[in-house]
Structure formats: structure tokens, C-alpha cells
Amino acid sequence: SNTQFGNCICVLGDIDNDGVDDFAVAAPEWRDPAQLPGDPNVGRITLYSGASRAVLWRYSPPIAPGQIGSGHREIGAAMTKIVDVDGDTIPDLVLGNHNTSTSGMTHNGSVIVLSGALVPPASNPNGRFIFDVFGTDNYGYFGYSVVAFYHPHPGDDRTLIVGQPGSNEALAPGSAKQGKVHHIAIGLNVHSIGPSFQHPAGDEMHLGWSLAVYDDISIPENNNDDGNSWPAIIVSAPRRWWGPPQTAHGSDPSGSIVFLRGDNLQPVGNSFETQYPVPLPHVYANASFGFDIDVLGDLDDDGRREIAVSAPGSAIKDGTPNPQQPYGEQAGRVFILSQPYNMSQNFSILFPA
């Protein structure tokens, strides 16, 4: 059957204490046998032993016939590991479920936090389920991307960042999707919804499509260098438009990535945004720069890790644009960006593939 098994994979850590990391695999189109024909798929998560590939546990939202458990659907389209939330010292798992539809809305989205333990703590009233958060925008796709990090802050020392790339869409599909990212502070068995960020440009860009944590940028807590610093959050906007139209295709969206403070989602530095870095005619057309982002190691031995950014819609091939087919020959491109010391400068291109 069509389960989309392998749609997302997340290394959770050594859950079974055999010295080998274990990993979770999502099948967001999995259907519970109790579902009736026409019910949306709820999805299922399976944790596998990294050593033996044996199934350690499975999770899908509980449902009654004809109903979707708690409104969640197609769970695990995005996943990330988070430091222990329920007090058993074992890493837990965050699921992003952007197709969840609740409260009369369509695709408002949700996130779920699950216990990663082989046997969830008895203190968890709902077993493996710890808590969930629902998006509040119709067609907002809250949970399309998720990242988490730990920060030594009293109380709420775990932080979850959630992308909502469809935010600001009207009640019907087709309107502009500006996008938004959200900050959720998490402590042991408690959580609170924090600040959010929308790009000041205010136009369609799908902000929050992809996320990454970049802790090579040290941000002092409360603007005071007291030894506790926050990482930066890299947020992609693959449909970001640049400048007025100069040619028939000159204003097509090329994409960008932005850098936000991990504590309050405010911009980092004076120039917090890096756009698609190939200023040639027609090359901008639907490049989708920022479609995926990841933090690599220190490739050029300058003491800072590099960032990989994909642009799968780039019309450049072998370094030469084709002005006759601005939308064709989307050979795609990957950029490796090296972060300068001064965050008021744009990133330099270390390796265009």
C-alpha cells in the first residue's frame, strides 16, 4: 500500500543501550485498520535498532472508527530529536505534521512530542504521547519543518522552532504564502508558545520551508555576554522575490535564507539575509534557493562550519545560464556557504557544484 515509508528519517540516539544509535522512520500515508474509507491517513512512526534493524517501538495517533485521533494526520512529514522532555533522561522525538486539519480549518498543521524510550515513563498520562501544538492559520502548514536545540536556561531549557511556510494564506488556496516561524520553549513536562517571526518584506516567499540550527554564531543571552550564548536559526524562504521586474522573467522568485536569534527569532546582524548568489540574467527564475539547508563540518579549516544550501530549480548548467529557456533546464545547484566573522556581510560561496 502507499504509506510513503521513509519520507523522513531521524537518528534518535542509542535508545536500547547497545552502543549503536537507533533511528526513527516515518510513513505519513499509513492507514490505521480502524479507519473508514475516505478518512485521511494518520501515519505511523517506527523506531529501529541501529544494530539489528529490529523494531523497537511504533506509534500512530489513537483513533476510533470514522475519526482521526486528536485531529492529527500524516504524522512525521518532518522529524527532529529533542533533549529529554519527560524526565527519563532519554532523548525524545518531535513530529511535524503540516497536513493536520482541525477546528474547521484545512492544513493548519501540528507538532507532536513523543517519548523516545523503549517503555515510556509511568508519569506520562498518555503513554508515548507527551504533548502537541496545533497551528492557527488556515492552510498555514504549521509543522512543515522542525528543529530543536538545548540551551542552559533555567526552566525552559529546550527550544523547538517550527516552520509554517503557508502562513498568511487566505481561506482558499492560491493566495500569497508569506510564511512564519515559531519559537516554543520546553521544560520538563511543560511548554510555552514564544515569539514568532515574519519577514518584513511581507510578500510571498514560503518562509519556514526548511530550518537548521547554527551554533557557530554566538549570541549573548539578553544581549549580555554572561557565558550563556544562543545559536542562530537558519530559515529558508525558497520563493523569495528580489527587486522590480527588469525582464520578462527577471522578477521570478529565486529564494533566500535568513538568520534569526535562537532566543527571540529576531534578525542576526544588520544584513541577516543571503539571497540566491548568482546575479546573472534569467538565472533567478524559480531557483528555489533554500529548498533544503544543512550545517556541515569545517571544510576550509577556518574554525567555522559551512552551510549547504540547495537550489534545485536553478537554470544554470555548467555555470552558463540559458536565456532562451529561463524556466527550462533546471539542472539544479548546491551552494556551500562560508560564514564571515562579520555578520553584516553576506556569505561567501565556497563551493558551487
Side-chain angles (χ1 to χ4, degrees), residues 97-111:
N97 325 300
H98 63 272
N99 279 330
T100 289
S101 300
T102 60
S103 303
M105 292 181 287
T106 302
H107 302 317
N108 55 306
S110 67
V111 295

Side-chain angles (χ1 to χ4, degrees), residues 234-256:
I234 309 174
V235 185
S236 78
R239 298 291 293 175
R240 176 81 158 97
W241 292 54
W242 290 96
Q246 296 177 351
T247 67
H249 302 287
S251 63
D252 292 321
S254 57
S256 72

Side-chain angles (χ1 to χ4, degrees), residues 153-188:
H153 179 78
D156 300 334
D157 50 13
R158 305 147 183 85
T159 299
L160 175 63
I161 307 297
V162 182
Q164 187 180 5
S167 182
N168 268 13
E169 189 168 47
L171 295 178
S175 299
K177 305 177 184 69
Q178 180 187 359
K180 183 188 294 186
V181 287
H182 299 267
H183 181 288
I184 301 175
I186 302 173
L188 285 176

Side-chain angles (χ1 to χ4, degrees), residues 23-300:
F23 60 97
V25 181
E29 295 289 346
W30 181 84
R31 292 181 62 81
D32 191 295
Q35 291 183 255
L36 297 178
D39 284 349
N41 303 328
V42 294
R44 184 169 69 177
I45 308 301
T46 305
L47 185 72
Y48 290 94
S49 166
S52 67
R53 312 301 187 266
V55 173
L56 300 181
W57 55 254
R58 284 193 170 106
Y59 174 84
S60 61
I63 69 168
Q67 298 178 354
I68 304 174
S70 303
H72 297 292
R73 58 190 285 186
E74 299 180 23
I75 65 169
M79 296 193 292
T80 191
K81 169 184 172 180
I82 191 168
V83 171
D84 173 39
V85 172
D86 54 8
D88 61 1
T89 73
I90 296 174
D92 297 317
L93 184 64
V94 179
L95 312 178
N97 325 300
H98 63 272
N99 279 330
T100 289
S101 300
T102 60
S103 303
M105 292 181 287
T106 302
H107 302 317
N108 55 306
S110 67
V111 295
I112 301 173
V113 179
L114 299 179
S115 170
L118 296 179
V119 178
S123 58
N124 287 6
N126 297 306
R128 190 162 303 284
F129 174 90
I130 301 176
F131 71 84
D132 56 13
V133 178
F134 292 90
T136 57
D137 288 359
N138 203 34
Y139 291 100
Y141 301 104
F142 178 83
Y144 192 91
S145 57
V146 289
V147 293
F149 62 89
Y150 177 85
H151 178 264
H153 179 78
D156 300 334
D157 50 13
R158 305 147 183 85
T159 299
L160 175 63
I161 307 297
V162 182
Q164 187 180 5
S167 182
N168 268 13
E169 189 168 47
L171 295 178
S175 299
K177 305 177 184 69
Q178 180 187 359
K180 183 188 294 186
V181 287
H182 299 267
H183 181 288
I184 301 175
I186 302 173
L188 285 176
N189 294 302
V190 296
H191 68 279
S192 60
I193 309 300
S196 61
F197 174 82
Q198 285 183 288
H199 198 288
D203 51 11
E204 178 181 356
M205 64 182 70
H206 292 196
L207 182 78
W209 185 275
S210 188
L211 301 169
V213 177
Y214 190 67
D215 51 16
D216 283 19
I217 299 176
S218 180
I219 303 171
E221 183 169 0
N222 299 322
N223 293 316
N224 294 312
D225 193 2
D226 57 4
N228 291 331
S229 61
W230 293 82
I233 307 300
I234 309 174
V235 185
S236 78
R239 298 291 293 175
R240 176 81 158 97
W241 292 54
W242 290 96
Q246 296 177 351
T247 67
H249 302 287
S251 63
D252 292 321
S254 57
S256 72
I257 56 174
V258 301
F259 295 80
L260 306 178
R261 294 175 56 104
D263 56 345
N264 57 18
L265 295 185
Q266 292 302 300
V268 174
N270 297 324
S271 179
F272 69 100
E273 184 170 19
T274 297
Q275 68 185 76
Y276 180 63
V278 186
L280 297 173
H282 300 289
V283 176
Y284 289 105
N286 294 310
S288 296
F289 178 74
F291 191 90
D292 197 12
I293 49 180
D294 203 355
V295 178
L296 310 176
D298 181 10
L299 305 183
D300 55 0

